[in-house]
Amino acid sequence: LKNLSLLSPQQIELAKMLLKEGQKHLFDDWSDADLDVEKKKAFFDQVALLDSSYPGGLASYIENARQLLADSKAGKNPYDGFTPSVPAGEVLTFGDENFMKLEEAGVKEARNAIFVLVAGGLGERLGYKGIKLALPVETTTGKCFLQHYIESILALQEASSKFVQAELLNKIPLVIMTSDDTHARTAELLESNSYFGMESSQVKLLKQEKVACLADNDARLALDPNDKYKIQTKPHGHGDVHSLLYTSGLLEQWKGTGRKWVLFFQDTNGLLFKAIPASLGVSATKGYNVNSLAVPRKAKEAIGGITKLTHADGRRSMVINVEYNQLDPLLRATGHSDGDVNDPETGFSPYPGNINQLILELGSYIEELKKTQGAIAEFVNPKYTDSAKTAFKSSTRLECMMQDYPKTLPPSAKVGFTVMDTWLAYAPVKNNPEDAAKVPKGNPYHSATSGEMAIYRANSLILRKAGLTISEPLKDVFNGQEVEVWPRVTWSPKWALIFKDVREKVNNKCSITQKSALVVNGQKVSLDGLNLDGTLIINAADGAEVVKLSGVVLNKGWSLEHVDYKDNSIPEKIRIRGFKIEKVEQLEIN
Ligand code: UGB
């Protein structure tokens, strides 16, 4: 720093800020050797990036960190003064009249929607080497999550286009939040697959930056152990999506074109789009500013609980996700001596499980972000070396979650939630086979195995509800996880988006046996007296006339062969499921 001529005026300001914020240690080991000039410049480039990507800049980050670290050291409970209670929300039953009405309302609203996929996480718990969006949702078709999501959005776009004049139709935008860990591979996946049928201009990638690591309780920034000219960084969490959207300028553009709803979703939930139309219908009919999707949750299950928090001052109350590790202590601290326990009547916790699918009303979202610039309540989770909490085992950082958005909203905001059956709405792929096998019995595995089986189960149950005879599932164990194996039924979103579509395209003279697999690809395919015992694949081109499937289809079909997740001779995306599909015999109609 002695040689200030090295620095631009902006860098000098950043240097001064760092010194003012107690970060002198960052420069302690700098040498005067000319060799390091480039590294010093790179250091300031990094500081400039850290400064520009955090709402309020790096100085705010350091100040917020100091406060949160002091609170953590003092053992301060972030929910101090708040009493939890069970909030009221919409509880939907698949396939009843109300559900079907909401689905239709949702499809109509979809023309005003924007989808935002948070996909910056590496998926450390899953341990998969690729990006999670590239994993197959199921291996009968092998379609990956990103393809499934895009096809679902395109199907919604088409279905909702009926409600608007062609010249007024805006294509539904898709924003994908990536990070350094996922950006290049996400872009590659899109480009090498022609955006899975979407126009490239419909898709925007926004990359989140990491935040600086903190070395101690004074929020001194940590240097990279291998490079004294580099600040160590770690991910800040999915909450970054709000500030990224705010600074991108996209929100105002969308508002200008009459958009109304922003739907946030996660990288690996293959069921989600079965829940989207009805929940969007709830947002529209209830006029919710915020609508969180939820499922019944087993007490202590590792997903956050939707909770109403009322402050002792009597003025503040909010409906918010309380993370699972905080819900139990909060309940115990507020007079519920048993903590988070199942209601004996329902067998579930009274606090619905947050599946981190949020629907925000665009107008009020923009107003709020103008106030906060997208900054989201943060937390810090240091692992201390000693009981006096004086030092950390390794550096820590501030984190934030997208579902904490309602925390800053005024009490007048309409915050609600929609509960749907888990079988219909939620089957994420988050855990590696080893950890999944250790999940307590009765709790969901959230693995690649359970994620895939959930698709077949949901599709089978939906067909059953529509009147088909579907054989009972068999139980089997893959990678140490016992699951139900239903017929492997899959369909493309454009075949049926909502339950009404299914009902219109099938009749009750059809049956499907447990060993069967059915793939329906195409719009106007109808199942009219089809009796399937084997594998049937039907591909109908867009615009094809009605293709009616009837009669008996009998063949050896496709079987599931057990494989072990440790068997490196099998591709990772397959072996993490514990089975591979042996394609023995099928009827394929094109
Ligand atoms: N993600 C990012 O885009 N950026 C990041 O920095 C981090 C993540 P995880 P998590 O569904 O059961 C959430 O890691 O955070 C993306 C809720 O907080 O899969 O542990 C990432 O790519 C919790 O309340 O989940 O837990 C992925 O798409 C509960 O709802 C998404 O964020 C839980 O999800 C979620 O990241 C759940």
Side-chain angles (χ1 to χ4, degrees):
L1 285 178
K2 271 188 228 147
N3 191 352
L4 285 176
S5 62
L6 269 179
L7 306 180
S8 69
Q10 188 213 7
Q11 288 173 330
I12 293 172
E13 284 312 307
L14 288 171
K16 283 186 188 163
M17 176 277 292
L18 286 173
L19 295 178
K20 182 165 163 270
E21 293 296 337
Q23 306 296 334
K24 179 184 159 293
H25 68 284
L26 293 174
F27 307 102
D28 282 352
D29 291 336
W30 282 32
S31 79
D32 286 338
D34 282 342
L35 277 180
D36 288 340
V37 169
E38 286 310 312
K39 290 184 171 178
K40 288 173 183 169
K41 284 188 180 156
F43 172 87
F44 278 104
D45 286 344
Q46 188 198 14
V47 171
L49 184 64
L50 291 169
D51 189 60
S52 64
S53 53
Y54 186 83
L58 191 51
S60 294
Y61 179 77
I62 296 165
E63 279 153 29
N64 292 344
R66 225 174 264 135
Q67 182 62 51
L68 285 165
L69 286 164
D71 290 350
S72 167
K73 188 172 182 211
K76 194 173 160 199
N77 179 346
Y79 297 111
D80 242 1
F82 284 98
T83 311
S85 59
V86 181
E90 289 296 302
V91 181
L92 305 187
T93 308
F94 175 78
D96 71 7
E97 206 181 308
N98 179 43
F99 186 88
M100 290 179 68
K101 244 203 257 153
L102 289 168
E103 280 202 319
E104 288 200 67
V107 167
K108 197 170 166 191
E109 282 301 319
R111 68 188 196 279
N112 298 322
I114 299 131
F115 283 87
V116 179
L117 167 57
V118 290
L122 245 194
E124 278 162 354
R125 280 184 281 159
L126 182 64
Y128 174 61
K129 297 208 183 54
I131 50 167
K132 295 210 278 176
L133 283 177
L135 271 178
V137 182
E138 34 77 19
T139 50
T140 298
T141 66
K143 277 185 195 173
C144 68
F145 279 99
L146 189 53
Q147 176 170 9
H148 170 69
Y149 289 153
I150 288 183
E151 287 185 356
S152 302
I153 295 169
L154 289 175
L156 268 172
Q157 179 177 292
E158 171 143 15
S160 68
S161 67
K162 282 186 260 159
F163 301 96
V164 65
Q165 288 163 294
E167 63 277 15
L168 293 179
L169 178 70
N170 289 315
K171 304 248 155 98
I172 298 179
L174 167 65
V175 172
I176 307 178
M177 180 169 81
T178 57
S179 67
D180 279 324
D181 297 326
T182 62
H183 186 83
R185 285 177 287 178
T186 308
E188 217 291 300
L189 182 63
L190 284 164
E191 279 155 25
S192 59
N193 290 286
S194 311
Y195 289 77
F196 298 108
M198 218 172 222
E199 282 174 21
S200 58
S201 58
Q202 267 176 282
V203 187
K204 289 259 173 333
L205 265 50
L206 297 179
K207 184 160 78 74
Q208 64 176 141
E209 296 299 336
K210 292 184 174 159
V211 286
C213 290
L214 306 156
D216 58 26
N217 281 324
D218 295 327
R220 282 158 31 116
L221 303 185
L223 282 169
D224 187 312
N226 303 314
D227 187 348
K228 64 180 178 179
Y229 294 109
K230 198 167 170 197
I231 294 171
Q232 198 184 14
T233 58
K234 284 189 182 163
H236 189 221
H238 37 70
D240 279 347
V241 72
H242 302 295
S243 62
L244 273 177
L245 281 175
Y246 177 68
T247 50
S248 73
L250 287 167
L251 299 172
E252 294 286 356
Q253 270 179 36
W254 291 329
K255 185 141 188 271
T257 55
R259 305 255 153 210
K260 211 167 160 197
W261 307 105
V262 195
L263 293 94
F264 295 85
F265 65 116
Q266 307 195 104
D267 49 17
T268 60
N269 182 7
L271 291 180
L272 181 71
F273 277 83
K274 297 188 188 301
I276 293 277
S279 2
L280 185 53
V282 169
S283 281
T285 50
K286 293 269 162 187
Y288 281 153
N289 297 142
V290 179
N291 183 11
S292 304
L293 267 64
V295 294
R297 169 181 171 279
K298 291 274 179 196
K300 303 189 181 66
E301 191 183 323
I303 61 176
I306 309 256
T307 311
K308 179 168 184 183
L309 296 175
T310 309
H311 198 265
D313 66 14
R315 277 172 291 141
R316 277 174 292 162
S317 85
M318 56 187 166
V319 174
I320 194 86
N321 171 68
V322 176
E323 279 299 285
Y324 56 90
N325 55 345
Q326 292 176 324
L327 182 59
D328 189 75
L330 173 66
L331 286 164
R332 286 175 198 276
T334 50
H336 306 81
S337 54
D338 294 339
D340 180 22
V341 283
N342 289 328
D343 175 343
E345 258 178 46
T346 61
F348 289 100
S349 162
Y351 298 90
N354 163 49
I355 63 169
N356 243 14
Q357 157 73 52
L358 306 176
I359 305 179
L360 305 185
E361 189 272 314
L362 181 61
S364 56
Y365 183 47
I366 292 178
E367 288 316 305
E368 181 63 15
L369 293 194
K370 277 187 193 152
K371 286 187 235 150
T372 63
Q373 298 175 12
I376 292 298
E378 293 171 300
F379 60 97
V380 68
N381 193 10
K383 309 275 179 290
Y384 297 101
T385 52
D386 54 335
S387 56
K389 300 187 181 175
T390 55
F392 307 159
K393 283 188 183 146
S394 59
S395 67
T396 187
R397 85 292 198 179
L398 300 190
E399 295 176 72
C400 62
M401 301 189 292
M402 71 171 170
Q403 66 270 33
D404 279 342
Y405 164 74
K407 280 189 173 165
T408 54
L409 288 176
S412 57
K414 287 190 82 176
V415 183
F417 64 93
T418 305
V419 185
M420 271 187 241
D421 289 318
T422 308
W423 68 262
L424 181 72
Y426 190 53
V429 177
K430 295 196 186 229
N431 290 326
N432 62 58
E434 208 170 334
D435 290 342
K438 290 187 213 141
V439 165
K441 209 171 158 48
N443 277 13
Y445 299 119
H446 292 173
S447 65
T449 315
S450 61
E452 174 158 357
M453 290 301 161
I455 305 296
Y456 306 139
R457 180 169 188 246
N459 288 339
S460 296
L461 290 173
I462 291 171
L463 290 185
R464 231 186 216 181
K465 178 93 185 158
L468 275 75
T469 305
I470 309 285
S471 300
E472 282 299 301
L474 287 183
K475 287 227 159 84
D476 206 338
V477 178
F478 300 107
N479 283 343
Q481 304 153 55
E482 187 182 88
V483 288
E484 286 182 355
V485 184
W486 289 76
R488 271 70 66 212
V489 178
T490 74
W491 59 73
S492 53
K494 66 183 164 196
W495 182 68
L497 201 55
I498 56 176
F499 188 49
K500 180 168 167 266
D501 301 334
V502 177
R503 287 233 301 221
E504 283 172 2
K505 291 178 175 173
V506 302
N507 68 18
N508 60 9
K509 284 177 260 147
C510 301
S511 65
I512 301 178
T513 61
Q514 188 277 334
K515 77 158 215 218
S516 298
L518 171 67
V519 179
V520 184
N521 241 327
Q523 257 162 343
K524 293 190 184 160
V525 179
S526 73
L527 311 187
D528 180 0
L530 172 74
N531 299 114
L532 177 62
D533 185 27
T535 293
L536 171 62
I537 301 159
I538 167 91
N539 298 306
D542 287 349
E545 302 210 347
V546 176
V547 180
K548 207 192 260 188
L549 297 174
S550 39
V552 176
V553 174
L554 177 69
N555 57 47
K556 295 202 184 80
W558 293 358
S559 58
L560 302 184
E561 301 290 311
H562 289 82
V563 300
D564 192 277
Y565 70 91
K566 292 193 205 100
D567 182 350
N568 286 329
S569 68
I570 297 165
E572 188 185 11
K573 63 183 184 186
I574 299 296
R575 70 183 134 91
I576 55 172
R577 293 158 208 274
F579 58 84
K580 65 173 192 219
I581 295 183
E582 206 57 59
K583 300 184 175 177
V584 187
E585 197 183 12
Q586 70 279 325
L587 173 63
E588 180 162 359
I589 306 172
N590 292 302

